[in-house]
Amino acid sequence: MNWKKCFTIDSIHWWVLMLFGISLVATDQWFSILEDEATILDLASSPASDTLHLFWSGVGQHEHPPLSDLLLHYWLPLGNSYAWSFRLFSICFYLAGIALLRLCARRLGGKSAAIALVLITVLWPFGFHFGRLVGWYGPCFFLVCALTLAYLRFLDSPAVPNSMLLFTAALALVYTNYFGWAVLGCLLIDSFVRHYRRQPVNFRTLLVIGAGLVLAYTPLWTVFINEIRNGVSPSSLVQNILYGGFNFYSLFVSESVAPWFWALSIPAGIAILALLVLSLRYGPPVARVFLLYFLALFAAMMLAGISGTKRMLMISPWLLLAVSVAVAQAGQRYVRVAMAGLLVLLGSLGWFGIIARSHYSAPHFIEPWAKMAKDAKTALDAGARIVSNSPSFFFYLTQLQRCADSGTCPPFQGVLPATITHPQIFSVEQWQPEDFTGAPVLFVEGVNKDSAEQTAMLLQWLQGQCHLDQHEAMLADTGYAWKLRLFPDSGQIPFRIQTYRFSC
C-alpha cells in the first residue's frame, strides 16, 4: 500500500473532516436537545402524507418548507434506538457542505484557500454548536454550498449537466427554506453584474431555470405568501438591529461567550470588525463579492426581524468562503498574517466559552434536561403526575420511557405528550383540574415563550389548589438584566429551569 497517497494535501482534508465528524458525534451528549429540535423530531415521526397534506392545503408546518422534514422522517428508522443518530442526520449534511465549500474555495483561491476553508470551519465555535442541530439547519448549509458550487460551474460552462445541477440545487434550497429565494436573488444580481462587466453569462438558460423554479414551486406558493405576510417580526427597528447585532457577534464566537462579558466580548468585537475591514480592503474581488452578498442577506434578515443564531448557519457559507479566499489571497503577507491572527483570537474566545460552560448568552445548550428527565422518571414511577412546558424535557423523558418500559428501544414514534400519550404526563396546554386531584405533582418549567400564558395559568391554579412542598430554581441566566432592559416584551425569566413539587 502506498501510504504517501493517503497523506497528500487533498486526502488530509478528508481525514480532517472525518475526525471532525467523529468529534461532533462524540461530544453530542455535552449539548442538550433544543426545543426546536424536539418539536421537529416529534412532527417528523408522523406520516409523510400528513406533512405533504398540510402544505398542499396551504397551511404549512413550522416556519420552513417540508423537504428537510421529509428527509428526516425517512432517516429516523435507520438508527432510532440510539440517541446519537438523531443529530447525525444534520452532521452528515454539515460535513458534506464543508466538502463542497472547500471545492468552491479551491476554484476561487487555489489550494491555499481550500486549506484555509477546512481549518476555519473545523475550528469554528459557531459551527461546532449549530452544525449538529436536528432540523433544516445542516441541510440548508449543505444546499447553499451546493448551489454556490453549481453556480460557479455554470459560469464556466452552461452545459446541460451544469444547468441541471444548478436547477436541482436551487429547487432543493427553496423547498427547504423560504429565505432561499433571497439567496437566489443574490446570484441573479451577480449574473447581471457580470454581464455589465462584459463577462459571459448565458441568460437564456438562466431564464429557463428561473421559469422551471417558479412552476416547480406551485404547491408552496400559497404557504410562502402566507409566511411573508405573517412571518415578519412586529418588533421595533431598534430591537431588530440590536438582536441582529447579537446574532452577528455570535456567528464568529458562537453563544458560548455572551456580549455582556466585556473582557472577552470587546476584543471579539474589535477582531470581527478588523477581519471584515481587512477582507473588504485587501481581499481579492471575488472574496469581496461573496462577503457583500452575505452582508446583504444578513441585513435583510435583521431588518425583517427574522434573524436568529440558528438561521445564521444558512447564510454563513458565503462568509466562510470570502474569509478563506481573502486569508489565502490577500496581496500583502502581513495582511494575511493579521487576518489569521484575528481568526485564531475569535476561535480561542469561543472555545474558551465552550470549555468553561459559564459564559453562554443562551444557556439552552447546557440545560440539564437529561438529569431532569431522570428525576421525573423516578417521580413518575412513584405515582406522581408530571407536567411541563418544555419540549426538550419531554424529549428526554420520552427517551427514558420508551426504552425502559420494554427493556429495549422500540421505533421512535414521537414525543410525549404531544404525539404519545401517558395517563400521568401532561403539557401545560393539555392538563385538566381532575388530572391532578389526589396525587403529587411535579411541574418542570423551562423557557418556552410560546406557552408563557398557559404556563402562568397552570402555576396560578396549582398554587391556589395545592400545597407547594418544594421549589427549586437552577441555571440562572447571566444576561437576564440586559435582556429585560433591551427586550422588555420578550418574556425573559431569571432562571432557565424551575421545578415545583405540589401535593394536590
Side-chain angles (χ1 to χ4, degrees), residues 29-151:
Q29 59 183 342
W30 293 3
F31 305 103
S32 296
I33 291 287
L34 308 189
E35 290 182 356
D36 288 352
E37 293 182 278
T39 302
I40 288 172
L41 280 168
D42 180 46
L43 293 177
S45 66
S46 61
S49 58
D50 293 351
T51 301
L52 292 173
H53 176 73
L54 288 172
F55 284 91
W56 188 255
S57 62
V59 176
Q61 190 181 66
H62 304 301
E63 295 178 349
H64 56 265
L67 180 58
S68 62
D69 298 311
L70 294 173
L71 294 175
L72 180 60
H73 170 79
Y74 291 107
W75 169 271
L76 290 177
L78 299 180
N80 59 13
S81 295
Y82 305 97
W84 55 264
S85 68
F86 295 118
R87 281 178 167 169
L88 185 60
F89 169 79
S90 287
I91 290 173
C92 290
F93 276 107
Y94 182 56
L95 294 175
I98 295 175
L100 295 182
L101 199 60
R102 169 189 165 273
L103 297 177
C104 296
R106 181 164 183 168
R107 180 179 288 264
L108 297 177
K111 286 186 177 181
S112 57
I115 294 172
L117 188 282
V118 172
L119 291 176
I120 290 171
T121 51
V122 166
L123 300 176
W124 185 32
F126 183 90
F128 186 73
H129 281 103
F130 291 91
R132 70 178 73 233
L133 297 188
V134 178
W136 56 267
Y137 319 107
C140 273
F141 178 88
F142 165 79
L143 289 171
V144 171
C145 296
L147 177 68
T148 305
L149 181 60
Y151 178 69

Side-chain angles (χ1 to χ4, degrees), residues 154-156 158 191 194-195 197-203:
F154 175 82
L155 292 177
D156 287 345
S191 64
R194 290 175 183 272
H195 178 71
R197 293 177 176 176
R198 302 188 183 281
Q199 298 177 14
V201 177
N202 191 322
F203 277 106

Side-chain angles (χ1 to χ4, degrees), residues 197-316:
R197 293 177 176 176
R198 302 188 183 281
Q199 298 177 14
V201 177
N202 191 322
F203 277 106
R204 179 178 298 178
T205 303
L206 284 178
L207 181 62
V208 173
I209 291 175
L213 290 174
V214 171
L215 290 175
Y217 210 66
T218 300
L220 296 188
W221 279 121
T222 300
V223 181
F224 175 70
I225 293 172
N226 291 335
E227 188 66 29
I228 293 295
R229 290 173 177 171
N230 304 322
V232 177
S233 171
S235 302
S236 68
L237 178 62
V238 173
Q239 288 186 338
N240 286 344
I241 293 175
L242 289 173
Y243 188 51
F246 162 74
N247 293 319
F248 194 83
Y249 163 86
S250 298
L251 183 59
F252 290 84
V253 296
S254 196
E255 294 179 347
S256 57
V257 176
W260 47 86
F261 293 103
W262 305 113
L264 300 176
S265 64
I266 290 178
I270 295 173
I272 292 169
L273 181 60
L275 182 65
L276 294 177
V277 170
L278 290 176
S279 298
L280 289 171
R281 175 66 179 84
Y282 296 102
V286 67
R288 290 198 295 269
V289 166
F290 277 104
L291 183 54
L292 289 173
Y293 290 150
F294 159 77
L295 293 173
L297 291 174
F298 169 77
M301 278 188 172
M302 178 181 66
L303 295 177
I306 60 172
S307 64
T309 45
K310 291 187 285 291
R311 289 191 172 102
M312 292 295 100
L313 188 68
M314 174 184 174
I315 62 175
S316 65

Side-chain angles (χ1 to χ4, degrees), residues 196-445:
Y196 176 78
R197 293 177 176 176
R198 302 188 183 281
Q199 298 177 14
V201 177
N202 191 322
F203 277 106
R204 179 178 298 178
T205 303
L206 284 178
L207 181 62
V208 173
I209 291 175
L213 290 174
V214 171
L215 290 175
Y217 210 66
T218 300
L220 296 188
W221 279 121
T222 300
V223 181
F224 175 70
I225 293 172
N226 291 335
E227 188 66 29
I228 293 295
R229 290 173 177 171
N230 304 322
V232 177
S233 171
S235 302
S236 68
L237 178 62
V238 173
Q239 288 186 338
N240 286 344
I241 293 175
L242 289 173
Y243 188 51
F246 162 74
N247 293 319
F248 194 83
Y249 163 86
S250 298
L251 183 59
F252 290 84
V253 296
S254 196
E255 294 179 347
S256 57
V257 176
W260 47 86
F261 293 103
W262 305 113
L264 300 176
S265 64
I266 290 178
I270 295 173
I272 292 169
L273 181 60
L275 182 65
L276 294 177
V277 170
L278 290 176
S279 298
L280 289 171
R281 175 66 179 84
Y282 296 102
V286 67
R288 290 198 295 269
V289 166
F290 277 104
L291 183 54
L292 289 173
Y293 290 150
F294 159 77
L295 293 173
L297 291 174
F298 169 77
M301 278 188 172
M302 178 181 66
L303 295 177
I306 60 172
S307 64
T309 45
K310 291 187 285 291
R311 289 191 172 102
M312 292 295 100
L313 188 68
M314 174 184 174
I315 62 175
S316 65
W318 289 353
L319 172 65
L320 296 169
L321 181 61
V323 171
S324 299
V325 175
V327 168
Q329 296 296 322
Q332 293 84 353
R333 183 175 183 275
Y334 73 89
V335 174
R336 298 196 297 271
V337 173
M339 293 181 68
L342 293 170
L343 288 168
V344 170
L345 173 62
L346 291 170
S348 299
L349 292 172
W351 280 100
F352 167 77
I354 292 172
I355 296 171
R357 297 175 73 84
S358 58
H359 294 70
Y360 272 85
S361 55
H364 47 193
F365 279 109
I366 57 174
E367 291 173 346
W369 289 121
K371 178 183 180 301
M372 302 304 301
K374 290 180 180 178
D375 295 342
K377 184 68 167 60
T378 302
L380 184 71
D381 294 339
R385 305 294 189 265
I386 310 297
V387 60
S388 178
N389 66 341
S390 171
S392 299
F393 166 74
F394 281 131
F395 170 81
Y396 285 101
L397 185 58
T398 301
Q399 288 293 91
L400 288 177
Q401 192 70 9
R402 78 184 182 99
C403 296
D405 286 350
S406 61
T408 60
C409 291
F412 180 80
Q413 296 179 341
V415 176
L416 288 163
T419 301
I420 302 174
T421 59
H422 189 285
Q424 296 170 243
I425 300 175
F426 310 91
S427 68
V428 293
E429 295 89 357
Q430 293 175 328
W431 69 280
Q432 297 295 328
E434 58 269 19
D435 294 328
F436 303 145
T437 303
V441 176
L442 172 61
F443 176 31
V444 181
E445 180 184 4

